[in-house]
Structures are given as C-alpha cells and as structure tokens.
Amino acid sequence: LHTVAGNLNIEQTGQDNTGLPVYPGAVRRPNGAQIDIEPSRQEGGFALSAATYLTPAAVNSVAGWYRKNLGQSFQEEGGGTHVDIEHVHVGKADLAFISHEQDQMRIVALKREGDRTKITLVRMGQKEPQ
C-alpha cells in the first residue's frame, strides 16, 4: 500500500524472521507475518515479525528452557499476562518474556492450548538494515 505518509507492506511468510530462539522440537504453524512500514521521510522504517510454534511440552518445561536461552534483557511476566505494547493489546498468555531495548521490542509468549503449548515469537521496532 503506497500512501503520502509512506509505504506499508504486509505479507504472510513461511520464514521465521523474529531472530528469537525456538524451543527444540516445536513445530511451526504454516504462516507467520512480516509487516514493514517505510515512512516518506528518511528516518528509517518500522518492522514487525511474528511466528507461532506448537509443542506437546508443558508450559513450565518450555518456560524453563527460555529462561536459560534468552538474554538478560528479557523480563518474565506470568499469571495470565495480558501482553500490551504501547497501549495495544497483543493477546493473553500464561507466561511471557519481554525485552525492550533501544528501538526494538521482542516477546516470547507461552499459552497452553488443549494438550499443547503455543509459543508466539514477536519482534518489532526499527527496521533492520537491508
């Protein structure tokens, strides 16, 4: 979509562009999303990438693995966490790990769905250099 303010590109993608670690053995849902916003001015763009995975492992097991494999910038939030970013409701998770550094936010959200754990990975912020 081309506008006076800039360009907006939204596409489903088979690739995980989040740059976040994936729990071993988790299976990716077929389609993720990549959104790029390029303003008309020269200050750079905004990108959002998301991917969802499923695993039969319990939330506690998956959370333990992420505690060991995410950087120190990630803060853990639990107990039916409502994941809100800049006043926008992203969703509800049983447990979430959130990192907000410089111009980038990264989220790992875990939620039990039936007999599986859903792992949602999100990266958003200033667009990566091409």
Side-chain angles (χ1 to χ4, degrees), residues 1 21-22 35 44 61-62 71 104 112 121 124:
L1 177 64
V22 177
I35 300 172
S61 297
V62 177
Q104 186 171 200
R112 195 67 183 172
L121 306 177
M124 68 177 93

Side-chain angles (χ1 to χ4, degrees), residues 73 86 99-106 124-126:
S73 67
E86 303 297 325
S99 171
H100 191 270
E101 292 183 299
Q102 298 170 351
D103 294 332
Q104 186 171 200
M105 180 172 274
R106 297 174 294 162
M124 68 177 93
Q126 188 171 351

Side-chain angles (χ1 to χ4, degrees), residues 2-115:
H2 302 286
T3 72
V4 175
N7 298 324
L8 173 66
N9 179 41
I10 302 172
E11 66 180 276
Q12 281 189 317
T13 176
Q15 296 178 322
D16 180 342
N17 298 323
T18 65
L20 290 161
V22 177
Y23 183 77
V27 176
R28 187 165 188 267
R29 284 194 173 160
N31 292 315
Q34 175 72 36
I35 300 172
D36 294 316
I37 300 171
E38 291 283 346
S40 298
R41 295 175 287 176
Q42 298 290 71
E43 68 262 1
F46 175 85
L48 181 142
S49 298
T52 302
Y53 292 82
L54 298 171
T55 179
V59 170
N60 289 340
S61 297
V62 177
W65 186 86
Y66 275 104
R67 283 183 193 106
K68 293 177 185 173
N69 288 281
L70 291 174
Q72 298 224 346
S73 67
F74 283 85
Q75 299 297 314
E76 185 174 335
E77 297 185 20
T81 300
H82 288 273
V83 181
D84 297 312
I85 301 166
E86 303 297 325
H87 309 293
V88 175
H89 182 66
V90 175
K92 186 174 180 180
D94 296 327
L95 185 68
F97 299 91
I98 301 172
S99 171
H100 191 270
E101 292 183 299
Q102 298 170 351
D103 294 332
Q104 186 171 200
M105 180 172 274
R106 297 174 294 162
I107 301 168
V108 175
L110 309 178
K111 181 174 174 63
R112 195 67 183 172
E113 286 190 346
D115 61 348

